[in-house]
Amino acid sequence: MNSSKSTLAPNPPPEASAWAFGLELALADGISVPGLDGPRVDTGAFATVRLDVGDELDARWECAAPERTRQHGDDHDPLLTVDWDVDGGYLVSAPTYGRFLVDSEGTDVLCAPESAEADWHAMLVGQVLPLAATLRGFEVFHASGVVLDGRALLFSSQSRGGKSSLAVRLALRGARLLSDDAVCVDQSLVAYPGSLIVHVRPAEHELMTHAERTGLESLSSPERARFLAPAGEPAPIGGFYLLERATDGPWLERLDAVSPLDLLGATFNLSVIEAGRLQRQLDLCARIGAEVPAYRVRIGPGLGASELADRLLRLDPAS
């Protein structure tokens, strides 16, 4: 008797209801996440996002022998931990937010919020979905990004370095937002929208006029100012800007070459450390350094985000 493998096609994935970080996302019933309503993408990278029901997360993690790949905060009271198990995947834990289990392929995200009142969506968007995108083969940069004239402009800086304020000001001048804090890039150097929510520091919020505040959809709360900005389409990277606080030197400097190691320091996800990902990450940074125009932007005293946005637009002949 002859035997052959089954030719039945696999079950199709559920229909996507959100698109972010290069992923087609199927959000399960009961999950509504603001800011994940960017343009439809067709990358073939699919992921489901589900709520933990019946302690599924604990059951799946019970037999794990995890290795800690990332920790933010001290050992006694960490703000964030990421543990990896070859079978269980990646467990992201953050007090006050909850726990999130991402399978090793980045195709399934299981969410266990700390409580019904927890702002767990912020952790899902800020850390967990970028992790899933990394596992699906993308690279995520710690940067804000906008689209101008069909080109993606990425702005990287240290924390509180001004990248979010600059993204807001450019969005108010007609740019389309890719993401506020984490921008996803594929191997062909195309950048994809992430979260369309922009967080504005109190000092910058005070500088905005009433017309500017009403120019974007406000999601403000008493604790922080948040805005929903118009989404940009996926676009090839047209410029990589390294923002830094400085007291001297030209405000803008075109860099002849950028070290891949400098760009490596601007990547977002530090949790996935397997060899294949690290090689892919370094190859992508080398391509960006060789093929994408790069600039150093020195933000001196008195140079605010509004004036900086105007200067960049005046320099950009395609805008």
Side-chain angles (χ1 to χ4, degrees):
M1 180 183 295
N2 294 330
S3 61
S4 61
K5 293 183 179 180
S6 172
T7 58
L8 292 176
N11 292 328
E15 184 177 354
S17 55
W19 293 265
F21 301 106
L23 302 174
E24 301 174 59
L25 298 170
L27 305 182
D29 291 343
I31 298 180
S32 177
V33 185
L36 297 188
D37 48 0
R40 181 185 297 265
V41 297
D42 185 18
T43 62
F46 201 93
T48 59
V49 180
R50 304 181 292 122
L51 287 172
D52 186 22
V53 178
D55 298 323
E56 179 185 349
L57 190 152
D58 287 333
R60 287 172 54 182
W61 198 250
E62 182 178 6
C63 299
E67 171 188 352
R68 180 145 297 178
T69 61
R70 185 183 174 199
Q71 177 171 309
H72 181 55
D74 59 50
D75 292 337
H76 300 292
D77 189 23
L79 301 175
L80 172 76
T81 59
V82 181
D83 298 292
W84 172 77
D85 176 75
V86 64
D87 296 315
Y90 289 82
L91 179 65
V92 180
S93 303
T96 75
Y97 292 100
R99 296 181 299 158
F100 307 82
L101 186 60
V102 184
D103 73 336
S104 294
E105 302 300 320
T107 60
D108 183 66
V109 178
L110 187 61
C111 309
E114 184 73 18
S115 67
E117 294 76 28
D119 188 16
W120 62 275
H121 298 105
M123 184 58 59
L124 173 68
V125 171
Q127 296 289 338
V128 179
L129 291 181
L131 169 60
T134 302
L135 295 170
R136 298 297 288 153
F138 296 95
E139 194 55 58
V140 183
F141 286 88
H142 189 197
S144 65
V146 300
V147 176
L148 280 171
D149 196 43
R151 299 176 303 141
L153 307 182
L154 273 55
F155 305 97
S156 177
S157 72
Q158 298 296 321
S159 180
R160 302 180 67 84
K163 57 185 180 295
S164 297
S165 298
L166 181 57
V168 169
R169 296 296 181 171
L170 289 169
L172 288 168
R173 288 156 172 78
R176 296 281 173 162
L177 183 70
L178 283 173
S179 195
D180 174 19
D181 196 52
V183 178
C184 174
V185 178
D186 69 13
Q187 296 300 310
S188 64
L189 305 189
V190 171
Y192 292 84
S195 172
L196 302 177
I197 294 178
V198 190
H199 297 78
V200 180
R201 293 185 291 111
E204 185 64 29
H205 189 248
E206 288 295 321
L207 294 173
M208 296 174 67
T209 66
H210 175 74
E212 288 172 334
R213 293 176 187 175
T214 57
L216 302 171
E217 183 178 344
S218 177
L219 301 172
S220 297
S221 66
E223 294 80 19
R224 55 189 170 182
R226 302 186 303 167
F227 297 91
L228 190 62
E233 296 282 345
I237 305 176
F240 205 105
Y241 296 78
L242 304 173
L243 310 185
E244 63 179 39
R245 300 289 178 178
T247 57
D248 56 12
W251 76 272
L252 183 74
E253 178 185 3
R254 173 70 183 264
L255 303 176
D256 293 331
V258 180
S259 167
L261 295 179
D262 289 339
L263 293 173
L264 201 62
T267 53
F268 187 80
N269 195 290
L270 306 177
S271 304
V272 183
I273 56 176
E274 58 93 16
R277 183 273 171 127
L278 295 177
Q279 184 61 57
R280 185 182 75 229
Q281 184 184 40
L282 190 57
D283 289 345
L284 181 63
C285 288
R287 279 200 64 194
I288 292 175
E291 300 177 26
V292 175
Y295 306 85
R296 188 176 308 283
V297 180
R298 297 179 177 87
I299 305 175
L303 179 57
S306 184
E307 182 183 352
L308 179 57
D310 288 336
R311 289 188 182 187
L312 290 173
L313 290 174
R314 286 197 296 268
L315 286 172
D316 186 2
S319 63

